[in-house]
Structure formats: C-alpha cells, structure tokens
Amino acid sequence: MSKQGIMRTFGLGFMVLATLSAATTGCGSSGEEAGVQSTAPVVESVKPSEPPATLKVILYEGSAAVNYDNFITHYIEEKTNTKLVITPIPGAQLEEKLNVMLASGERPDIIMYSSDSAEAKYTKSGLLLPINNYFDKAPNLKKYGEKGIWNVMKQLDGNIYAVPNGGANGNVDNTPIFRKDWLDKLGLSVPATIDEFYQVADAFTNQDPDGNGKKDTYALGGYTNSGQWQLQPYDQIFGAFGVLPGQWIKQGEALIYGDIAPGMLDALKFMNKLYKSNFIDPEFVTDNSSRFKDKLIKGKFGTASYRMFMFDTNNTNNYYKPFHDNNPTGELVTGGVLQAAANNPAIGPRSLTARGWLKTSILKESKNIDAAVRLMDYLASDEGIRLMNYGLEGTDYTVENGIVASKISDEQKLARGINQIRLVFYPLHDHTSKVFQDIQKKAEAIAYRDPSDGIYVNNPNLINLGKYSAEQFLKMITSNDPIDGMFDDFVKEWNKRGGEEWTKQINDEYKARNTGK
C-alpha cells in the first residue's frame, strides 16, 4: 500500500505530547556535463570572520560503520563555517529516541525523522521552524523544491516545516518491462491494450518462449513484503482500468481511493482471468521480494512493473548483469500505458511520494538558525548534492561522456563519509548508463502521481485497511466463483472499517489545500 494508505504512527504518550506542547516556545565543476542541471549559484565558502557556529544534528544513521569525524563532514564544515556535532541514530530507533530526547527538553538544532505523523505532531507542538521564511537567504534550498515539492510539503497554514529526502529526483523507480526477445520469437509486439496483453501473457506462458522444451515460464509473478501481498508488480494491469491499489484517484473535484474506485472491479476480474488461465506463477503469494527478483533475473517471467535498474548496463544495484548472465540472448523493453475498453481513463504506474522517506527540520528554538539554514542551503546546491552522492571530482570520481565513474571502493566511500549526511539529499543517477537515463525519463513521463501526496490524517484504521484490501483482493483474484458480490461486500466492509471516515478526512484536507477553505 502507498505511503498515503499506511501512515506510520509512533507512540508519544499523553505525558510526552504534553511536554512537547509545552515547549512551543571548491569542488565538482562539471555538473551540467554529467547531467546535473544548474539550479542556483553554487554556495561560496563562508568567510571565517567569526568562529564556526556549532550545530547539534540528529542524523539518520545510514551505516553503523561510519565515523563522522571524516573528510566529508569537515569539508562541509569548512564550506559553511559550522562545527557539526552529529548524533546518528539507527533507522528503527530514530523517532523513538528523538521523541524521548525532545520530551526531556534536549533541543538539537536540526532533526531527522521519517513519518508524516511525526512532522504533524512536531509542527502542531510549535517545535519546527518555517523554513520558507528563510528562502531569501537560501536560494539553493528554495530551488530544491521547485519541481512541485514545496507544494507537497506545505502545511495548511501555508508554511513549510520539513525538507524531504529523495523527493526531488523523478520519484519513479518502476516501469512496465517486457521480454523483447520472447516477443520477437513469438511474432508479437509490446501490447498497447489490455486484450493484447492477454494474448502476450498466453504466449509467454504456453508457447515455450525460452525454447528449453519445458512449460516453466509465466507471464507474471508476485511477492509478499512484511507479510502483506504486494500489488505494485501489476500496476500496468490496474492502471489500464484507471485505478491503482493504494493510490487516490481524482474524480471531478473529489478523491476516491483506488481500492474501491470505479474500474477496480473490472481490473480484479481481469486479474482473476489471468489466474484461472494459469498465466500467473502459482507461488506468487508465498514468494518474497528476493525470490521474485531471483525468478525474474533467471528468466521465468515475461513481464512486470519492476525496477528500471534492469536496463542499467553499468549494473547499478546488481540487476542488469545477473539477468544477462542467466539469459545471454535476453533482451528487455519497456511498455507504455495499457488501454482497456472502459469508461475510466488509463493511468501509468505509480510514482513514489515526493515527500521522501526521510525528512529534515530546523527547530524553532535553535540559537543558530542562520547557520542551520546556511548548512542546508549548501547541501541543497548542485555542489552539495554532487558531493554527497559521489564525493570530490578527480579524487573520488571522474566524468566521461556525461557518465560518472567512481575511483574508490564502497569501503572507501564509507570511510570518507560519502552518502551519509543526508540532511538535504536526493540520489543522482549520473553513474548509470545512458540507456537507463533515457528509460528513466520515459518512466517519469507516464508515471501516475497521487493527487493526495502531501495530505495525511491521523486515522488509526489505515494499517488494518491496507491489510484488509490485500487479503480480499487475493481472495477475489484466486476465486473460482464470480466476484461481483465479493467486491460489493468488500467495499461495504472497507467503508465500515474506517474507509468512509478516511475518505472524508482526505477530501476535507484536499479541498482546504486547493481552495484555502
């Protein structure tokens, strides 16, 4: 389920909440050559006319092997005339320890956290600084969010209290993928309609596309993650009917959740048809994400909405090489948005939230607000983003024909602190191949962006609603009986379990954000 569908909450007891409420008081120069577009002037080193400002930073611990007394830390300190006192916290403990710290009265200058509910509570308690009030001093930080990110981060009072990590770089990691070598062998083309998709799925399953004389291939597979069956590998199918599980769909001036939206029943019927035709690997429920990937790279599946890294000839994250090692004549191609004979306009695969998976805020009580803003502005600059991704050009990496090539090992990167101080950060893909970069642009062009992104409500039923949807969809997809009645019962029960209340909350906030009322 999407970030909007499953809001991670954390326990601040009434005493902790009361306590919080009471507290309301010169490096890389080849950016454009390597694919990084210039945004704002590179931040110049601050003239040390006064002693460095000490900033206490609560940081998400990317790797326990990192000692923050390293080259990158000191380079950033020199650039921003600061002294960073960093407290790294492992991700699983981040918000719990941060809450205890804040409740005890300890006040860092900069904090990191992951959940939207944390941001909402800290904002409501008056702990966070409206960073938009400092954009005139931070042109790079302002530019960082001008792809629509600041609109997503904006609170109902019109202010922005958090900077997202990972939210400024396309927000897409999956795209429809097909085995082109199988299509060519079977005399088929990349499907453009849902009916053509069915024909391709039939051939991928029944016509021995890998030529080994065995009936051991399938059109599709699937997997569970954290005990919950995942629907994202089927985004191209659901999208053909104008819906995506776990995403909100705009209808007129209102939003309706994809799980119950018009078009979902037709999509589930089509999935049921694929299942009954044995086009889906029967282990699609019990496989986990690693097993799913293993089957895909070994050549068992003909299509999926999956990682674009499958196309990266530089083998980033180890997708490309194992696939081609297992399938020497294998060739992949991306697909577009499938069209179904339905009243609902088709949509592409889901994009990721623009709010990022980590967020950074400056505390309003900081005694060094200007220094904190200066630090974050540098990290948001082209130079800062390149530094955190790759280090120093010439020392840590080179650029040839627009592609970044690392000169040091992963262990050396950790020792130097590269990719660790993610206060303002998004991952660059300049080290990937040109093929990957072209496919990424195509994927961004067709991706569906949830209109509710940036809207969150405190509803304790959301996690259970996500599990309930996944369970019921699985029953409908694998049913031997007609599912119309099952879907009607599911919608009624979904609403009863908190979905109706959630829909009203989301729409009230959506209207307030778009009309100011």
Side-chain angles (χ1 to χ4, degrees):
M1 191 173 180
S2 72
K3 178 272 302 177
Q4 289 81 11
I6 302 177
M7 305 310 297
R8 293 202 303 126
T9 58
F10 59 88
L12 279 179
F14 289 112
M15 183 178 298
V16 176
L17 280 174
T19 305
L20 287 176
S21 297
T24 57
T25 45
C27 64
S29 60
S30 302
E32 293 187 6
E33 178 188 3
V36 179
Q37 298 301 311
S38 179
T39 55
V42 172
V43 176
E44 298 294 340
S45 298
V46 176
K47 303 301 181 184
S49 57
E50 54 187 45
T54 298
L55 294 175
K56 295 180 180 179
V57 179
I58 303 301
L59 190 69
Y60 170 88
E61 183 181 72
S63 173
V66 172
N67 179 346
Y68 289 92
D69 183 11
N70 60 41
F71 169 78
I72 292 292
T73 300
H74 298 316
Y75 189 91
I76 292 171
E77 289 174 331
E78 181 180 350
K79 280 294 213 177
T80 59
N81 196 30
T82 58
K83 172 64 179 175
L84 304 183
V85 180
I86 296 173
T87 301
I89 301 177
Q93 306 169 30
L94 180 59
E95 289 181 4
E96 179 184 356
K97 289 193 173 183
L98 180 58
N99 293 335
V100 172
M101 187 181 300
L102 294 173
S104 70
E106 187 174 347
R107 294 290 185 264
D109 298 282
I110 298 174
I111 61 174
M112 292 189 75
Y113 47 92
S114 58
S115 68
D116 289 332
S117 53
E119 181 187 344
K121 290 179 181 179
Y122 298 155
T123 301
K124 187 175 182 180
S125 299
L127 290 172
L128 306 183
L129 184 79
I131 60 172
N132 50 290
N133 291 343
Y134 294 82
F135 278 165
D136 60 331
K137 297 181 179 180
N140 295 293
L141 191 60
K142 180 180 180 181
K143 195 75 174 178
Y144 177 91
E146 288 188 349
K147 290 183 179 180
I149 306 250
W150 291 142
N151 290 334
V152 171
M153 300 303 295
K154 191 178 295 183
Q155 298 289 333
L156 286 175
D157 64 2
N159 287 317
I160 300 161
Y161 297 93
V163 180
N165 258 282
N169 197 34
N171 311 321
V172 179
D173 65 354
N174 284 17
T175 195
I177 296 175
F178 292 87
R179 285 290 298 267
K180 183 178 184 301
D181 54 317
W182 290 8
L183 291 170
D184 291 345
K185 177 181 177 181
L186 300 169
L188 298 169
S189 301
V190 175
T193 68
I194 202 69
D195 291 336
E196 291 175 1
F197 182 91
Y198 185 85
Q199 294 173 1
V200 166
D202 187 351
F204 281 175
T205 306
N206 295 316
Q207 296 185 28
D208 190 24
D210 60 356
N212 68 354
K214 300 177 182 179
K215 193 174 184 301
D216 60 353
T217 59
Y218 295 94
L220 295 157
Y223 62 91
T224 60
N225 187 27
S226 301
Q228 185 170 317
W229 182 48
Q230 299 298 297
L231 291 156
Q232 187 165 325
Y234 316 105
D235 272 5
Q236 57 184 325
I237 296 171
F238 286 103
F241 295 92
V243 294
L244 288 173
Q247 303 281 288
W248 289 87
I249 310 297
K250 191 166 188 274
Q251 293 196 331
E253 298 302 316
L255 302 183
I256 183 169
Y257 201 52
D259 292 21
I260 64 168
M264 180 54 76
L265 175 57
D266 289 334
L268 291 169
K269 285 182 176 179
F270 186 78
M271 286 288 294
N272 178 259
K273 181 180 178 181
L274 293 173
Y275 176 78
K276 287 179 178 178
S277 300
N278 297 315
F279 298 165
I280 305 177
D281 179 5
E283 296 178 331
F284 75 116
V285 179
T286 56
D287 281 348
N288 57 29
S289 58
S290 296
R291 189 164 164 78
F292 174 81
K293 176 185 176 182
D294 184 64
K295 287 183 176 182
L296 185 65
I297 64 176
K298 285 183 177 176
K300 296 300 180 184
F301 306 140
T303 181
S305 285
Y306 200 59
R307 305 286 184 265
M308 292 180 291
F309 290 115
M310 293 288 290
F311 295 92
D312 182 20
T313 57
N314 290 346
N315 198 42
T316 301
N317 296 329
N318 201 33
Y319 284 85
Y320 181 89
K321 186 177 185 300
F323 172 78
H324 287 275
D325 285 347
N326 285 299
N327 306 274
T329 61
E331 187 177 358
L332 301 175
V333 66
T334 59
V337 179
L338 293 175
Q339 303 292 322
N343 294 327
N344 297 312
I347 57 179
R350 73 193 66 203
S351 61
L352 305 175
T353 171
R355 302 196 97 250
W357 65 285
L358 285 169
K359 299 161 189 68
T360 303
S361 293
I362 300 173
L363 291 195
K364 188 185 294 184
E365 294 181 14
S366 171
K367 305 301 182 185
N368 293 296
I369 288 176
D370 283 349
V373 171
R374 185 168 69 240
L375 169 67
M376 293 177 69
D377 187 61
Y378 172 71
L379 293 174
S381 69
D382 287 347
E383 179 182 328
I385 294 293
R386 178 59 68 88
L387 178 75
M388 289 314 307
N389 273 271
Y390 301 122
L392 286 183
E393 184 176 353
T395 301
D396 301 310
Y397 70 92
T398 59
V399 181
E400 297 180 8
N401 299 320
I403 303 295
V404 168
S406 180
K407 295 182 64 177
I408 60 177
S409 67
D410 290 343
E411 291 76 15
Q412 290 171 315
K413 291 176 185 177
L414 283 178
R416 285 174 66 77
I418 296 170
N419 206 353
Q420 297 303 312
I421 302 180
R422 295 187 169 201
L423 295 172
V424 183
F425 178 84
Y426 59 83
L428 297 177
H429 289 140
D430 298 339
H431 58 296
T432 58
S433 60
K434 182 65 165 54
V435 172
F436 173 92
Q437 294 174 17
D438 289 343
I439 284 174
Q440 184 187 30
K441 292 177 183 177
K442 293 178 183 178
E444 291 171 6
I446 66 171
Y448 176 76
R449 288 168 170 78
D450 191 326
S452 77
D453 198 13
I455 298 176
Y456 44 87
V457 296
N458 185 17
N459 189 320
N461 300 307
L462 300 186
I463 293 178
N464 290 331
L465 277 176
K467 291 180 178 178
Y468 177 68
S469 289
E471 291 168 358
Q472 296 305 307
F473 285 175
L474 185 57
K475 288 180 181 179
M476 284 182 260
I477 289 170
T478 59
S479 175
N480 289 320
D481 300 318
I483 66 172
D484 300 68
M486 297 173 65
F487 184 76
D488 290 342
D489 291 342
F490 158 72
V491 172
K492 291 175 184 176
E493 183 65 19
W494 187 88
N495 280 312
K496 187 186 300 183
R497 292 187 179 211
E500 184 174 16
E501 177 188 6
W502 185 29
T503 300
K504 183 180 184 306
Q505 290 174 317
I506 287 290
N507 275 279
D508 286 347
E509 294 248 3
Y510 180 74
K511 180 180 179 182
R513 285 176 182 269
N514 288 279
T515 65
K517 299 179 181 179

